[in-house]
Amino acid sequence: MKTIIPRVVCCLVFLLITTTVVSQDIPKYDYLEIIVIQKANNSGRVKRIKVQEQKSLEGKQITIKQLEDLEGTSDLLNYMNTANWEFVDRQSIVSEENDPVWMSYIFRKRK
């Protein structure tokens, strides 16, 4: 009886440690922000796509020039999808009625 209790306790401790180690695996992502400037008055046409130099672009297949050469938001979403970047969020800023709409698209890719 004395030898069974320490063995059971050791097995339980081992199982708890292994499940804790497995559950601590947190996926790491690269995040990329792309600014899309659209014309005012709900025309929805893209004036310009702007990408700033970001750490998440280092060593990737996509470049700032390729992104800024895209014509519209659907082209942007298709391009990022084929490059295995996942769309996360979009936020827009409108200052006044005739001002252009600034939209921030956030993408992420697993490291």
Side-chain angles (χ1 to χ4, degrees), residues 7-52:
R7 287 183 183 172
V8 170
V9 170
C10 286
C11 288
L12 288 174
V13 168
F14 177 73
L15 290 174
L16 289 173
I17 289 173
T18 55
T19 57
T20 303
V21 170
V22 171
S23 67
Q24 293 299 320
D25 185 26
I26 299 171
K28 294 182 172 49
Y29 292 98
D30 279 334
Y31 286 91
L32 178 65
E33 180 182 26
I34 299 173
I35 306 295
V36 176
I37 305 166
Q38 287 187 341
K39 294 187 177 186
N41 299 331
N42 296 327
S43 64
R45 291 191 314 230
V46 173
K47 274 176 85 171
R48 182 175 162 208
I49 295 177
K50 180 179 177 181
V51 182
Q52 296 177 346

Side-chain angles (χ1 to χ4, degrees), residues 4-100:
I4 293 177
I5 293 175
R7 287 183 183 172
V8 170
V9 170
C10 286
C11 288
L12 288 174
V13 168
F14 177 73
L15 290 174
L16 289 173
I17 289 173
T18 55
T19 57
T20 303
V21 170
V22 171
S23 67
Q24 293 299 320
D25 185 26
I26 299 171
K28 294 182 172 49
Y29 292 98
D30 279 334
Y31 286 91
L32 178 65
E33 180 182 26
I34 299 173
I35 306 295
V36 176
I37 305 166
Q38 287 187 341
K39 294 187 177 186
N41 299 331
N42 296 327
S43 64
R45 291 191 314 230
V46 173
K47 274 176 85 171
R48 182 175 162 208
I49 295 177
K50 180 179 177 181
V51 182
Q52 296 177 346
E53 190 67 38
Q54 298 175 36
K55 234 181 191 179
S56 58
L57 283 175
E58 295 174 4
K60 301 293 189 290
Q61 295 175 351
I62 61 175
T63 63
I64 292 175
K65 183 168 177 25
Q66 290 173 333
L67 289 169
E68 289 180 346
D69 287 344
L70 296 172
E71 297 292 322
T73 55
S74 62
D75 295 335
L76 172 67
L77 292 172
N78 286 333
Y79 179 77
M80 294 302 282
N81 190 29
T82 57
N84 294 325
W85 284 83
E86 179 184 357
F87 174 74
V88 177
D89 191 23
R90 182 190 79 177
Q91 296 178 355
S92 61
I93 299 171
V94 181
S95 22
E96 291 187 23
E97 190 173 319
N98 290 330
D99 287 345

